[in-house]
Amino acid sequence: MLLRGFGQGLPKLRKDPASSRVLIACHKATDTMAALRRKFGEDYQVVNTNQDMTFTAQVKKKRQRFVEKNGRCNVQHGNLGGETSRYISDLFTTLVDLKWRWNLLIFILTYTVAWLVMASMWWVIAYIRGDLSHGGHDSSYTPCVANVFNFPSAFLFFIETEATIGYGHRYITEKCPEGIILFLFQSLLGSIVDAFLIGCMFIKMSQPKKRAETLMFSQDAVISQRDGKLCLMFRVGNLRNSHMVSAQIRCKLIKSRQTPEGEFLPLDQCELDVGFGTGADQLFLVSPLTICHEINTKSPFFDLSQRSLMNEEFEIVVILEGIVETTGMTCQARTSYTEDEVLWGHRFLPVMSLEEGFFRVDYSQFHNTFAVNTPPYSVKEQEERSSLTSPNSLPVAAAPSSPQPGNGGRGGRRERLLSADYADHGEEPAYRLPSKLQRMSSTKEELHRRGLNTGPALPGGKASSTGDLPLSIQRLRSSSIPVGRQGQQLELLLQSLEAESREGVEPVDAPTPAPVQIFFVGSRQEDNLPAKLRRMNADR
């Protein structure tokens, strides 16, 4: 019964045109999804951000924007009071900033009024001189302007003079000095009006605002990882083949905040770094580019996570500036992204493809994104998690398992102290010596440490010893090398020990056991030394 009802309802669905369109759209979306997954992998999900599509995500209630998507600033100035006179003082800029309909109206009215006023002045001169009463029937009478009998003829004379048409039927005679003066004034005034109005129209027509219409911004911004770092990204493109010279991009974060002193700052502006220090903000805008803002400790989005993004209220204003290659004028394009237009865990679809001999840009995929795996945590939370899981610990050298015989455990304690002191300064670059110097330094420190451990306390807290010599010196007695060479080697080693004993070391805050008394070369108890060492000491 259930299957029969389902089968009966299916033909009705097919007969409905709207349902047919829905089915066709579903099939197209399925085919597109399959093609893109074959191209980018199974883990990606295509998200179409076009607002005209049937299947769209639920959009939050539209709030007031500071800058519209087309770049228009949604700000109106009111209650200017007496400051409106400043617009009149800069009349040329005021006319250029007006809309086209007002510019055309002012252009037509200005010329119409000027023509009527000047034609009236010529008619007044003809009326005062009596040129209108003669009517042109008296050939002996010389008028101010020939063939001017009424206001229409005066108006035609002015137009012929102003436009430099000069048909030759109406002209000024030499018997009219006031007409000559008015003609000079008319020429000067006409030049000023032409320069002002035609210049205003030319500047308005050559404004690069329409050039900004061919500069595209992506409808949404995305947040995902790039090179292991969380980044805010959006896309820009240039539809024309002509380039934007010295193109530079800037980003501003518009967000209200309250200072620690309690001051409320509405629509506070904060700069977003898009590569100012590295030069990444200087664009070579030949093909669409993805602008990246790295979220780090200096970013205002340092504590922004996927969950907090739903409760935030901010607006990102993007400003793209450059010089139009064809006209040399500076062009600026603007857009903005609210928190609803920032997609977490998405990435832009690639639009570049390599063809035979050129690169092709597919602008149909310019606004589309696909979902990628992105941690939902903020950078601050990620750093805190990483610090808890892998805390930084100082390297400490392992202490010897047993103290050296005859030192009473002093050598092992001192090695532990020296190892801890070295760990405190281990990260400094000055201690990174070559391996050969490290071996020489370790040998020298070992000799110094042995002298401190076994030597008697001398005046000034110094200690030295010749009894605790390296094994190489102890084997000199039984070696087969000549005596002179033995004496030279021993003399060098003894001099090194004596120099180090004079330098001394800083005292260690630890109880020191009673020093072991030894005797130096040249002391009173010379009988304790071997015969060869006594002879070498006598030679010194």
Side-chain angles (χ1 to χ4, degrees), residues 69-108:
K69 295 294 289 184
N70 58 2
R72 185 181 65 86
C73 296
N74 196 11
V75 178
Q76 295 183 359
H77 304 282
N79 297 328
L80 296 177
E83 302 298 331
T84 54
S85 59
R86 296 176 181 267
Y87 292 98
I88 305 302
S89 61
D90 189 11
L91 184 59
F92 184 80
T93 306
T94 303
L95 292 177
V96 172
D97 289 340
L98 291 176
K99 296 181 181 294
W100 268 107
R101 54 179 176 267
W102 299 111
N103 275 105
L104 293 176
L105 179 62
I106 292 174
F107 186 86
I108 295 173

Side-chain angles (χ1 to χ4, degrees), residues 446-464:
E446 181 68 22
L447 293 175
H448 191 190
R449 186 163 56 253
R450 290 185 179 183
L452 291 174
N453 293 338
T454 59
L458 295 178
K462 301 178 182 179
S464 179

Side-chain angles (χ1 to χ4, degrees), residues 57-63 309-313 339-341:
Q58 184 177 1
V59 182
K60 294 172 62 177
K61 184 178 179 180
K62 184 178 180 181
R63 66 177 183 87
L309 179 61
M310 302 178 183
N311 302 324
E312 289 285 343
E313 289 188 2
E339 68 279 356
D340 302 331
E341 298 168 344

Side-chain angles (χ1 to χ4, degrees), residues 208 211-212 214-217 234-238 244-251 281-285 289 291 317-323 330-335:
R211 178 64 177 89
T214 54
L215 297 175
M216 292 182 61
F217 296 92
F234 57 91
R235 181 179 277 175
V236 296
N238 182 16
M244 292 290 295
V245 182
S246 301
Q248 183 179 9
I249 195 163
R250 296 182 292 118
C251 291
D281 59 333
Q282 305 291 332
L283 307 181
F284 182 56
L285 198 58
L289 300 176
I291 310 302
V317 179
V318 181
I319 304 172
L320 176 62
E321 293 179 341
I323 300 175
T330 303
C331 174
Q332 184 180 95
R334 296 181 297 269
T335 191

Side-chain angles (χ1 to χ4, degrees), residues 29-86:
T30 304
D31 296 340
T32 305
M33 179 77 70
L36 290 174
R37 283 186 175 179
R38 286 195 301 269
K39 185 176 182 180
F40 301 105
E42 295 294 335
D43 296 336
Y44 297 143
Q45 178 182 0
V46 176
V47 176
N48 196 327
T49 58
N50 191 358
Q51 302 295 333
D52 298 334
M53 294 297 294
T54 305
F55 301 99
T56 56
Q58 184 177 1
V59 182
K60 294 172 62 177
K61 184 178 179 180
K62 184 178 180 181
R63 66 177 183 87
Q64 193 66 38
R65 306 177 71 105
F66 187 69
V67 177
E68 299 292 340
K69 295 294 289 184
N70 58 2
R72 185 181 65 86
C73 296
N74 196 11
V75 178
Q76 295 183 359
H77 304 282
N79 297 328
L80 296 177
E83 302 298 331
T84 54
S85 59
R86 296 176 181 267

Side-chain angles (χ1 to χ4, degrees), residues 9 35 49 79 107 151 170 175 229 316 327 339 357 373 392:
T49 58
N79 297 328
F107 186 86
F151 182 80
R170 298 178 179 88
K175 302 294 183 178
K229 300 176 183 178
I316 302 172
T327 61
E339 68 279 356
N373 293 328
N392 295 327

